[in-house]
Amino acid sequence: MTIYGAEVVLLIVLLSYSGIPCLAKVYTVGDSSGWSLGVDYKTWTSDKTFKVGDTLSFNYGSSHTVSEVSSSDYDGCSAGNAIASYTSGPTNIALNTTGTHYFICGVASHCSGGMKVSVSVSGGGGGGSGSGSSAPSGTTKPTPTPPTGTTTPASSAAFSPAVPLVFGLVLFIFKLVVS
């Protein structure tokens, strides 16, 4: 059997490029406490590294909402100019861009009572965990998400990053068997 150099290089490239987005994580905001009053969301984010491709999952009841807002609306606890608003949980929001994303509860006094979270998102195709590092926020606005009041799928009909990897492996094995 002869192993072709080009196939080995192709396999290495596919493994190093295609595998990274498969590591995207889904973070349940507030962990087991969910999206509610009495949770310290600064502490919750402190040991997490969010990356493009990750998803925030907000679990909440009918007495709460989730609004994605600008930095100034986050600071002022104002949902009046929300980029997107959701009124029934759970709500999943994909982090599709780098920068800081801001979320508040739009119910009166809930945001000022601590129901607000900001997450710094870095590039790299998903897979953040544990370091607590924060990405530079720059001037990037939060990701617009269509307001539907229902759950936004973490990923929808996207081309799976595993497809080129599997295809490359099948091609490589086929070449080995044929030669």
Side-chain angles (χ1 to χ4, degrees), residues 68-84:
E68 187 171 6
V69 296
S70 67
S71 173
S72 59
D73 286 343
Y74 177 83
D75 292 338
C77 283
S78 172
N81 295 314
I83 295 164

Side-chain angles (χ1 to χ4, degrees), residues 8 20 27-28 32 37-38 54 56 73 84 89 103 111 114 126 135 152 164 171 178:
V8 172
I20 294 172
Y27 292 95
T28 300
S32 61
L37 290 166
D54 289 346
L56 295 179
D73 286 343
F103 303 94
C111 175
T152 303
L171 179 64
V178 170

Side-chain angles (χ1 to χ4, degrees), residues 64-153:
H64 299 297
T65 65
V66 176
S67 294
E68 187 171 6
V69 296
S70 67
S71 173
S72 59
D73 286 343
Y74 177 83
D75 292 338
C77 283
S78 172
N81 295 314
I83 295 164
S85 292
Y86 307 90
T87 58
S88 61
T91 299
N92 294 318
I93 300 174
L95 300 173
N96 294 323
T97 60
T98 59
T100 304
H101 298 256
Y102 303 93
F103 303 94
I104 66 172
C105 180
V107 175
S109 76
H110 287 197
C111 175
S112 59
M115 276 189 77
K116 60 195 272 183
V117 64
S118 65
V119 297
S120 295
V121 179
S122 62
S129 66
S131 75
S133 65
S134 80
S137 61
T139 57
T140 305
K141 291 186 80 174
T143 305
T145 309
T148 61
T150 61
T151 301
T152 303

Side-chain angles (χ1 to χ4, degrees), residues 144-171:
T145 309
T148 61
T150 61
T151 301
T152 303
S155 64
S156 58
F159 181 77
S160 172
V163 170
L165 177 62
V166 171
F167 180 76
L169 287 171
V170 169
L171 179 64

